[in-house]
Amino acid sequence: MTNQLGTLEELPKDYLRALNDLSVAPLWPFLRAALPFDFPSRATVPFIWRYKDIRGHLMRAGELTPMEKAERRVLVLSNPGIGLEKLMATPTIYAGLQLILPGETAEPHRHTPSAIRFVIEGDGGFTIVNGEKCPMEKGDLILTPSGTWHEHWHAGKNPVVWLDALDLPVIGSLEVSYVVEGKRQAINNAADRSQTAYRRSGLVPYASLGKHRADYPLIRFPWREVRESLVSLAAGSGPKDPVHLAYVNPETGGECLPILGFSAQMLRAGEEVAPPRRSSSAIMHVIEGAGQSEIDGKTIEWTEGDTISVPTYARIRHRAASGKPAFVFHVDDAPLHRKIGIYEELVD
Ligand code: 1HN
């Protein structure tokens, strides 16, 4: 084990030039940066994007840039430690706030990155995913897995805003990110299938038994039901038990998308929780309530609508304000970490 690796400066200029001409690089000057001892180096910083600061600028984008010129009208939550133009909230998570105004549509397309929408405000928006019409109510989670057609509509009266999260940094780094445009979809359900075929956990359509399991059977997870489930779970558990539910594929019980994972957590009024340090990076979005988090020594006060980045292996403590519970939505890259065998949790 050594920190005394040779540097570029130690090498003769003509040698470096000869290597350079051949597009060859010596490993040793760069090895420690690529493979540090004991703990990874991280560009991602803990950061909060406050909804109250950004909302006005998003509305202004609605005046400045028509849909035809935007394709998707989004302000991207770019981690300042990584660089704003990289469009990354964390090493694996793209996140943005998308605005759609009454009467507007975001045209159909499908792409290799998988996406989710998490609704922040407004009524009357809907997303059609492979023909399934999904209403968008505050707090609803809607999946648009890799390759699924999707388009957004707005039949309501007020602006609709949602949080987009995509695995774009991963798909981009694999050099396989692309989009295909398509025709408007015929709607093939009256009520959305997510609310009929998979109405309740523990019950799946009989015909699905013994068959190849659907990759993405459930597309919309209504917040009303997730919230009720969290409140019931809190009532049925001890005062210190975590109240944290993962969104899963109802046919497999596994994570609903291959790279990013989604969960919702209730923090009881005044409660403080200290999860283990996880290898996964994450964003945390405040659905309801207020509180503060300490992330790698940085104290962040949050309230409804805010979104926070959490670096890999971060030391975290969350505290809900007293008076009422807080509800938060998490996006993390733990599904990818588990698949490639790098997921770990450390307890100090
Ligand atoms: C996308 O397709 C949407 O469909 C939103 O609403 C944000 C960011 C990058 C790439 C594709 C959407 C996106 C996106």
Side-chain angles (χ1 to χ4, degrees), residues 233-307:
L233 179 60
S237 23
K240 295 251 172 236
D241 294 335
V243 187
H244 193 178
L245 292 170
Y247 295 83
V248 297
N249 175 329
E251 291 205 355
T252 65
E255 293 123 340
C256 28
L257 289 178
I259 294 176
L260 300 182
F262 314 99
S263 60
Q265 184 172 21
M266 173 178 158
L267 301 168
R268 302 166 183 91
E271 183 182 19
E272 183 166 319
V273 299
R277 292 164 64 192
R278 300 189 170 104
S279 58
S280 41
S281 69
I283 59 169
M284 169 178 144
H285 175 77
V286 184
I287 310 164
E288 195 184 310
Q292 67 175 47
S293 297
E294 205 171 287
I295 305 175
D296 280 342
K298 182 169 169 184
T299 302
I300 294 173
E301 302 275 345
W302 43 257
T303 190
E304 201 171 310
D306 295 348
T307 306

Coordinates of all heavy atoms in Angstrom, one line a residue, residues 233-307:
L233 N -49.4 1.9 9.2 CA -48.2 1.2 9.7 C -47.7 1.9 10.9 O -47.2 1.2 11.9 CB -47.1 1.3 8.5 CG -45.8 0.7 8.8 CD1 -45.9 -0.8 9.1 CD2 -44.8 0.9 7.7
A234 N -47.7 3.2 11.0 CA -47.3 3.9 12.2 C -48.1 3.5 13.4 O -47.6 3.3 14.5 CB -47.3 5.4 12.0
A235 N -49.4 3.4 13.2 CA -50.4 3.0 14.3 C -50.1 1.6 14.8 O -50.3 1.3 16.0 CB -51.8 3.2 13.8
G236 N -49.6 0.8 13.9 CA -49.4 -0.6 14.2 C -48.0 -1.0 14.6 O -47.7 -2.1 14.9
S237 N -47.2 0.0 14.7 CA -45.8 -0.3 15.1 C -45.3 0.4 16.4 O -46.0 1.3 16.8 CB -44.8 0.0 14.0 OG -45.3 0.9 13.1
G238 N -44.2 0.0 16.9 CA -43.7 0.6 18.1 C -43.2 2.1 17.8 O -43.0 2.4 16.6
P239 N -43.1 2.9 18.8 CA -42.8 4.3 18.6 C -41.4 4.5 17.9 O -41.2 5.6 17.3 CB -42.8 4.9 20.0 CG -42.7 3.7 20.9 CD -43.2 2.5 20.2
K240 N -40.5 3.6 18.0 CA -39.2 3.8 17.3 C -39.1 3.0 16.0 O -38.0 3.2 15.3 CB -38.1 3.2 18.3 CG -38.0 4.0 19.6 CD -36.8 4.8 19.6 CE -36.7 5.7 20.7 NZ -36.6 6.8 21.2
D241 N -40.1 2.2 15.7 CA -40.0 1.5 14.4 C -40.0 2.4 13.2 O -40.8 3.3 13.2 CB -41.1 0.4 14.3 CG -41.0 -0.6 15.3 OD1 -39.9 -0.9 15.8 OD2 -42.1 -1.2 15.7
P242 N -39.2 2.2 12.2 CA -39.3 3.1 11.0 C -40.6 2.9 10.3 O -41.1 1.8 10.2 CB -38.1 2.6 10.2 CG -37.7 1.2 10.7 CD -38.2 1.1 12.1
V243 N -41.1 4.0 9.8 CA -42.4 4.0 9.0 C -42.0 4.3 7.6 O -42.0 5.5 7.2 CB -43.4 5.0 9.6 CG1 -44.8 4.8 8.9 CG2 -43.6 4.8 11.1
H244 N -41.6 3.3 6.9 CA -41.0 3.5 5.6 C -41.4 2.4 4.7 O -41.2 1.2 5.0 CB -39.4 3.5 5.8 CG -38.6 4.0 4.6 ND1 -37.3 4.1 4.7 CD2 -39.0 4.4 3.4 CE1 -36.8 4.5 3.5 NE2 -37.9 4.7 2.7
L245 N -42.1 2.7 3.6 CA -42.6 1.7 2.6 C -41.9 1.9 1.3 O -41.8 3.0 0.8 CB -44.1 1.9 2.5 CG -45.0 1.5 3.7 CD1 -46.4 2.0 3.5 CD2 -44.9 0.0 4.0
A246 N -41.6 0.7 0.7 CA -41.0 0.7 -0.6 C -42.1 0.5 -1.7 O -43.0 -0.3 -1.4 CB -39.9 -0.4 -0.7
Y247 N -42.0 1.1 -2.8 CA -42.9 0.9 -3.9 C -42.3 -0.3 -4.7 O -41.1 -0.3 -5.0 CB -42.9 2.1 -4.9 CG -43.5 3.3 -4.3 CD1 -42.7 4.2 -3.5 CD2 -44.8 3.7 -4.6 CE1 -43.3 5.4 -3.0 CE2 -45.4 4.9 -4.1 CZ -44.6 5.7 -3.3 OH -45.1 6.9 -2.8
V248 N -43.2 -1.4 -4.9 CA -42.7 -2.6 -5.6 C -43.6 -3.0 -6.7 O -44.7 -2.5 -6.8 CB -42.5 -3.8 -4.6 CG1 -41.5 -3.5 -3.5 CG2 -43.8 -4.2 -4.0
N249 N -43.0 -3.9 -7.5 CA -43.8 -4.6 -8.5 C -44.7 -5.6 -7.8 O -44.2 -6.5 -7.1 CB -42.8 -5.3 -9.5 CG -43.5 -6.1 -10.5 OD1 -44.5 -6.7 -10.3 ND2 -42.8 -6.2 -11.7
P250 N -46.0 -5.5 -7.9 CA -46.9 -6.4 -7.1 C -46.9 -7.8 -7.6 O -47.3 -8.7 -6.8 CB -48.3 -5.8 -7.4 CG -48.2 -5.1 -8.7 CD -46.8 -4.5 -8.8
E251 N -46.3 -8.1 -8.8 CA -46.3 -9.5 -9.2 C -45.0 -10.2 -8.8 O -44.9 -11.4 -8.7 CB -46.4 -9.6 -10.7 CG -47.9 -9.2 -11.1 CD -48.3 -9.8 -12.5 OE1 -47.4 -10.5 -13.1 OE2 -49.4 -9.7 -12.8
T252 N -43.9 -9.4 -8.5 CA -42.7 -10.1 -8.2 C -42.3 -9.7 -6.7 O -41.4 -10.4 -6.2 CB -41.5 -9.6 -9.1 OG1 -41.3 -8.2 -8.9 CG2 -41.8 -9.8 -10.6
G253 N -42.8 -8.6 -6.2 CA -42.4 -8.1 -4.9 C -41.1 -7.4 -5.0 O -40.6 -6.9 -4.0
G254 N -40.5 -7.4 -6.1 CA -39.2 -6.7 -6.3 C -39.3 -5.2 -6.6 O -40.5 -4.7 -6.8
E255 N -38.2 -4.5 -6.7 CA -38.3 -3.1 -7.0 C -39.0 -2.9 -8.4 O -38.9 -3.7 -9.3 CB -36.8 -2.6 -7.2 CG -36.1 -2.6 -5.8 CD -34.8 -3.4 -5.8 OE1 -34.7 -4.2 -6.7 OE2 -34.0 -3.2 -4.9
C256 N -39.6 -1.7 -8.5 CA -40.5 -1.5 -9.7 C -39.7 -1.1 -10.9 O -40.2 -1.3 -12.0 CB -41.7 -0.6 -9.5 SG -41.6 0.6 -8.2
L257 N -38.5 -0.6 -10.8 CA -37.7 -0.3 -12.0 C -36.3 -0.8 -11.7 O -35.9 -1.0 -10.6 CB -37.6 1.3 -12.2 CG -38.9 1.9 -12.7 CD1 -38.7 3.4 -12.8 CD2 -39.4 1.4 -14.0
P258 N -35.5 -1.1 -12.8 CA -34.3 -1.8 -12.7 C -33.1 -1.0 -12.0 O -32.3 -1.6 -11.3 CB -33.8 -2.2 -14.1 CG -34.7 -1.4 -15.0 CD -35.9 -1.0 -14.2
I259 N -33.1 0.3 -12.2 CA -32.0 1.1 -11.7 C -32.3 1.9 -10.5 O -31.6 1.9 -9.5 CB -31.4 2.0 -12.8 CG1 -30.8 1.0 -13.9 CG2 -30.3 2.9 -12.3 CD1 -30.3 1.7 -15.2
L260 N -33.4 2.6 -10.5 CA -33.8 3.5 -9.4 C -34.9 2.8 -8.6 O -35.8 2.1 -9.1 CB -34.3 4.9 -9.9 CG -33.2 5.7 -10.7 CD1 -33.8 7.0 -11.1 CD2 -31.9 5.8 -9.9
G261 N -34.8 3.1 -7.3 CA -35.8 2.6 -6.3 C -36.6 3.8 -5.7 O -36.1 4.9 -5.6
F262 N -37.8 3.5 -5.2 CA -38.7 4.5 -4.7 C -39.3 4.1 -3.4 O -39.7 2.9 -3.2 CB -39.8 4.8 -5.8 CG -39.2 4.9 -7.1 CD1 -39.3 3.9 -8.0 CD2 -38.5 6.1 -7.5 CE1 -38.7 4.0 -9.3 CE2 -37.9 6.2 -8.7 CZ -38.0 5.1 -9.6
S263 N -39.4 5.0 -2.5 CA -40.0 4.7 -1.2 C -40.6 5.9 -0.6 O -40.3 7.0 -1.0 CB -39.0 4.0 -0.3 OG -37.9 4.9 0.0
A264 N -41.5 5.7 0.4 CA -42.1 6.8 1.1 C -42.0 6.6 2.6 O -42.1 5.5 3.0 CB -43.6 6.9 0.7
Q265 N -41.7 7.7 3.3 CA -41.4 7.6 4.7 C -42.2 8.6 5.4 O -42.4 9.7 5.0 CB -39.9 7.8 4.9 CG -39.5 7.6 6.3 CD -38.0 7.7 6.5 OE1 -37.3 8.2 5.6 NE2 -37.5 7.2 7.6
M266 N -42.7 8.1 6.6 CA -43.4 9.1 7.5 C -42.5 9.3 8.7 O -42.0 8.3 9.3 CB -44.7 8.5 8.0 CG -45.5 9.3 9.0 SD -47.0 8.5 9.4 CE -47.3 9.1 11.1
L267 N -42.3 10.5 9.0 CA -41.5 10.9 10.2 C -42.6 11.4 11.2 O -43.2 12.4 10.9 CB -40.5 11.9 10.0 CG -39.4 11.5 8.9 CD1 -38.6 12.8 8.5 CD2 -38.5 10.5 9.5
R268 N -42.7 10.7 12.3 CA -43.7 11.2 13.3 C -43.3 12.6 13.8 O -42.1 12.9 13.8 CB -43.7 10.2 14.5 CG -44.1 8.8 14.1 CD -43.8 7.9 15.3 NE -44.0 6.5 15.0 CZ -43.1 5.6 14.5 NH1 -41.9 6.0 14.2 NH2 -43.4 4.3 14.4
A269 N -44.3 13.3 14.3 CA -44.0 14.7 14.8 C -42.9 14.7 15.8 O -42.9 13.9 16.7 CB -45.3 15.3 15.4
G270 N -41.8 15.5 15.5 CA -40.7 15.6 16.4 C -39.7 14.4 16.4 O -38.7 14.4 17.0
E271 N -40.0 13.4 15.5 CA -39.2 12.2 15.5 C -37.8 12.4 14.8 O -37.7 13.2 13.9 CB -39.9 11.1 14.8 CG -39.1 9.8 14.8 CD -39.8 8.6 14.0 OE1 -40.7 8.9 13.2 OE2 -39.5 7.5 14.2
E272 N -36.8 11.8 15.4 CA -35.5 11.8 14.8 C -35.1 10.4 14.3 O -35.2 9.5 15.1 CB -34.5 12.4 15.8 CG -33.1 12.6 15.2 CD -32.2 13.4 16.1 OE1 -32.7 14.4 16.6 OE2 -31.0 13.1 16.2
V273 N -34.6 10.3 13.1 CA -34.2 9.0 12.6 C -32.8 9.1 12.0 O -32.4 10.1 11.4 CB -35.1 8.4 11.5 CG1 -36.5 8.2 12.1 CG2 -35.2 9.2 10.3
A274 N -32.0 8.1 12.3 CA -30.6 8.0 11.8 C -30.4 6.7 11.0 O -30.0 5.7 11.6 CB -29.6 8.1 12.9
P275 N -30.8 6.7 9.7 CA -30.6 5.5 8.9 C -29.1 5.2 8.8 O -28.2 6.0 9.0 CB -31.2 5.9 7.5 CG -31.2 7.4 7.5 CD -31.2 7.9 8.9
P276 N -28.8 3.9 8.5 CA -27.4 3.5 8.3 C -26.8 4.3 7.1 O -27.5 4.8 6.2 CB -27.4 2.1 8.0 CG -28.8 1.8 7.4 CD -29.7 2.8 8.1
R277 N -25.5 4.4 7.0 CA -24.8 5.0 5.8 C -25.0 4.0 4.7 O -24.5 2.8 4.9 CB -23.4 5.2 6.1 CG -23.2 6.4 7.1 CD -21.8 6.4 7.7 NE -20.8 6.6 6.6 CZ -19.5 6.5 6.8 NH1 -19.0 6.0 7.9 NH2 -18.7 6.8 5.8
R278 N -25.6 4.4 3.7 CA -25.9 3.5 2.5 C -24.9 3.8 1.4 O -24.6 5.0 1.1 CB -27.3 3.5 2.1 CG -28.3 3.2 3.1 CD -29.8 3.1 2.6 NE -30.7 2.5 3.6 CZ -31.6 3.3 4.3 NH1 -31.7 4.5 4.0 NH2 -32.3 2.7 5.1
S279 N -24.5 2.8 0.6 CA -23.7 3.0 -0.5 C -24.4 3.8 -1.6 O -23.9 4.5 -2.4 CB -23.2 1.7 -1.1 OG -24.2 0.9 -1.4
S280 N -25.8 3.6 -1.6 CA -26.6 4.3 -2.7 C -26.7 5.8 -2.5 O -26.7 6.3 -1.4 CB -28.0 3.6 -2.6 OG -28.4 3.5 -1.3
S281 N -26.8 6.5 -3.6 CA -27.1 7.9 -3.6 C -28.6 8.1 -3.7 O -29.3 7.1 -4.1 CB -26.3 8.7 -4.7 OG -26.9 8.3 -5.9
A282 N -29.1 9.2 -3.3 CA -30.5 9.4 -3.3 C -30.9 10.9 -3.4 O -30.1 11.8 -3.3 CB -31.1 8.9 -2.0
I283 N -32.2 11.1 -3.8 CA -32.8 12.4 -3.5 C -34.0 12.1 -2.6 O -34.6 11.0 -2.6 CB -33.2 13.1 -4.8 CG1 -34.2 12.3 -5.6 CG2 -32.0 13.5 -5.6 CD1 -34.9 13.1 -6.8
M284 N -34.3 13.2 -1.9 CA -35.4 13.1 -0.9 C -36.3 14.3 -1.2 O -35.8 15.4 -1.4 CB -34.8 13.2 0.5 CG -35.7 13.4 1.6 SD -34.7 13.4 3.1 CE -35.6 14.6 4.0
H285 N -37.6 14.0 -1.4 CA -38.6 15.1 -1.7 C -39.6 15.2 -0.6 O -40.2 14.2 -0.2 CB -39.2 14.8 -3.1 CG -40.3 15.7 -3.5 ND1 -40.0 17.0 -3.9 CD2 -41.6 15.7 -3.4 CE1 -41.1 17.6 -4.1 NE2 -42.1 16.8 -3.8
V286 N -39.8 16.4 -0.2 CA -40.8 16.6 1.0 C -42.2 16.7 0.4 O -42.5 17.7 -0.3 CB -40.4 17.8 1.8 CG1 -41.3 17.9 3.0 CG2 -38.9 17.8 2.2
I287 N -43.0 15.8 0.8 CA -44.4 15.8 0.3 C -45.3 16.6 1.2 O -46.1 17.4 0.8 CB -45.0 14.3 0.3 CG1 -44.1 13.3 -0.4 CG2 -46.4 14.3 -0.3 CD1 -44.3 11.9 -0.1
E288 N -45.0 16.5 2.5 CA -45.9 17.2 3.5 C -45.1 17.4 4.8 O -44.3 16.5 5.1 CB -47.1 16.2 3.8 CG -48.2 16.8 4.5 CD -49.3 15.7 4.8 OE1 -49.7 14.9 3.9 OE2 -49.7 15.6 5.9
G289 N -45.3 18.5 5.4 CA -44.6 18.8 6.7 C -43.3 19.5 6.5 O -42.9 19.9 5.5
A290 N -42.6 19.6 7.7 CA -41.3 20.3 7.7 C -40.4 19.6 8.7 O -40.8 18.8 9.5 CB -41.5 21.8 8.1
G291 N -39.1 20.0 8.6 CA -38.1 19.4 9.5 C -36.7 19.8 9.1 O -36.5 20.8 8.3
Q292 N -35.7 19.0 9.6 CA -34.4 19.3 9.1 C -33.6 18.0 9.0 O -33.9 17.0 9.6 CB -33.7 20.3 10.1 CG -33.5 19.7 11.5 CD -32.7 20.7 12.3 OE1 -33.0 21.9 12.3 NE2 -31.7 20.3 13.0
S293 N -32.6 18.0 8.2 CA -31.7 16.9 8.0 C -30.3 17.3 8.2 O -29.9 18.4 7.8 CB -31.9 16.3 6.7 OG -33.2 15.8 6.5
E294 N -29.5 16.4 8.8 CA -28.0 16.6 8.8 C -27.4 15.6 7.8 O -27.7 14.4 8.0 CB -27.5 16.4 10.2 CG -26.2 17.2 10.5 CD -25.9 17.1 11.9 OE1 -26.6 17.8 12.7 OE2 -25.0 16.4 12.3
I295 N -26.8 16.1 6.8 CA -26.2 15.2 5.8 C -24.7 15.5 5.7 O -24.4 16.6 5.3 CB -26.9 15.3 4.4 CG1 -28.4 15.2 4.6 CG2 -26.4 14.3 3.4 CD1 -29.2 15.4 3.3
D296 N -23.9 14.5 6.1 CA -22.5 14.7 6.1 C -22.1 16.0 6.8 O -21.3 16.8 6.2 CB -21.9 14.7 4.7 CG -21.7 13.2 4.2 OD1 -21.7 12.3 5.0 OD2 -21.6 13.0 3.0
G297 N -22.7 16.3 7.9 CA -22.3 17.4 8.7 C -23.0 18.7 8.3 O -22.9 19.8 9.0
K298 N -23.8 18.7 7.2 CA -24.4 19.9 6.7 C -25.9 19.9 7.2 O -26.6 18.9 7.0 CB -24.4 20.0 5.2 CG -25.0 21.2 4.6 CD -24.6 21.3 3.1 CE -25.4 22.4 2.4 NZ -25.1 22.4 1.0
T299 N -26.3 21.0 7.9 CA -27.7 21.0 8.4 C -28.6 21.7 7.3 O -28.3 22.8 6.9 CB -27.8 21.8 9.7 OG1 -26.9 21.1 10.6 CG2 -29.2 21.8 10.3
I300 N -29.7 21.0 7.0 CA -30.6 21.5 5.9 C -32.0 21.6 6.5 O -32.5 20.6 6.9 CB -30.5 20.6 4.7 CG1 -29.1 20.6 4.1 CG2 -31.6 20.9 3.7 CD1 -28.9 19.6 3.0
E301 N -32.6 22.8 6.5 CA -34.0 22.9 6.9 C -34.9 22.7 5.7 O -34.6 23.4 4.7 CB -34.2 24.3 7.5 CG -33.3 24.8 8.6 CD -33.9 24.3 10.0 OE1 -35.1 23.9 10.0 OE2 -33.1 24.3 10.9
W302 N -35.9 21.9 5.8 CA -36.7 21.6 4.7 C -38.2 21.8 5.0 O -38.6 21.7 6.1 CB -36.4 20.3 4.0 CG -36.3 19.1 5.0 CD1 -35.1 18.5 5.4 CD2 -37.3 18.3 5.7 NE1 -35.3 17.5 6.2 CE2 -36.6 17.3 6.4 CE3 -38.7 18.4 5.8 CZ2 -37.3 16.4 7.2 CZ3 -39.4 17.5 6.5 CH2 -38.7 16.5 7.3
T303 N -38.9 22.0 3.9 CA -40.4 22.1 4.0 C -41.0 21.6 2.7 O -40.3 21.2 1.8 CB -40.8 23.6 4.3 OG1 -42.2 23.6 4.7 CG2 -40.6 24.5 3.2
E304 N -42.3 21.6 2.7 CA -43.1 21.0 1.6 C -42.6 21.4 0.2 O -42.4 22.6 0.0 CB -44.6 21.3 1.8 CG -45.5 20.4 1.0 CD -47.0 20.7 1.4 OE1 -47.3 20.8 2.6 OE2 -47.8 20.8 0.5
G305 N -42.4 20.5 -0.7 CA -42.0 20.8 -2.1 C -40.5 20.8 -2.3 O -40.1 20.8 -3.4
D306 N -39.7 20.8 -1.2 CA -38.3 20.9 -1.4 C -37.7 19.5 -1.8 O -38.3 18.4 -1.4 CB -37.6 21.3 0.0 CG -38.0 22.7 0.3 OD1 -38.5 23.4 -0.5 OD2 -37.7 23.1 1.5
T307 N -36.6 19.5 -2.4 CA -35.9 18.3 -2.8 C -34.4 18.4 -2.4 O -33.8 19.4 -2.6 CB -36.0 18.1 -4.4 OG1 -37.4 18.1 -4.7 CG2 -35.4 16.8 -4.8

